Amino acid sequence: LKRVRDYRAVDDVTVTSEDDAPQLLKAVTEPAAGKAGTSLQLRLFAKDGNNDLDPQGVFLQDEASGQVLQAQSASEKGAEYLSVAIPLEAGRQPGQYNYRITAVDESGNVRYWKGIYTVVP
């Protein structure tokens, strides 16, 4: 299990077609920066040609903590998106931190997206 978790795949996998594979349109962090001891809400606006991207197939790995978090389906004012809560431990130092998203649709298409969030004092 450790070997699998440590494996760093870098290439997207396309089983059907590029048009059918998940595409990240926008990622928004709410609030824009967080304080240690709180959490950030990451909103992922994605498009999937086959409409078969289930929230259960979208994972965020926080590179600072190593924690893997699963997305949840959400909507606001008619806009549907995926939401991931990123907990910021009480001892987290201020700075910028990386995360990595893995999205696997039901057709087997895999996409990787990277992003940054900010912790303030």
Side-chain angles (χ1 to χ4, degrees):
L1 183 58
K2 180 180 178 350
R3 185 173 168 203
V4 171
R5 286 184 179 184
D6 290 341
Y7 178 73
R8 297 282 182 208
V10 293
D11 296 330
D12 293 339
V13 176
T14 304
V15 175
T16 55
S17 73
E18 282 296 323
D19 293 336
D20 294 338
Q23 298 173 24
L24 181 63
L25 303 175
K26 179 171 64 170
V28 178
T29 307
E30 293 285 331
K35 293 184 177 190
T38 65
S39 65
L40 292 173
Q41 201 70 23
L42 181 65
R43 296 178 183 183
L44 302 169
F45 295 87
K47 179 176 109 174
D48 183 54
N50 280 343
N51 203 23
D52 63 351
L53 179 62
D54 190 276
Q56 293 179 350
V58 179
F59 303 91
L60 178 144
Q61 181 177 18
D62 181 0
E63 292 186 2
S65 69
Q67 194 172 25
V68 176
L69 308 164
Q70 189 170 18
Q72 303 293 320
S73 182
S75 66
E76 183 177 300
K77 298 178 184 172
E80 292 188 21
Y81 57 92
L82 300 170
S83 178
V84 181
I86 305 172
L88 307 174
E89 309 85 34
R92 183 75 67 100
Q93 296 296 313
Q96 290 192 327
Y97 294 90
N98 297 317
Y99 63 81
R100 181 181 168 118
I101 304 283
T102 302
V104 183
D105 70 15
E106 292 180 13
S107 298
N109 297 304
V110 180
R111 291 296 179 265
Y112 300 100
W113 307 310
K114 293 182 178 184
I116 296 172
Y117 64 89
T118 303
V119 177
V120 295

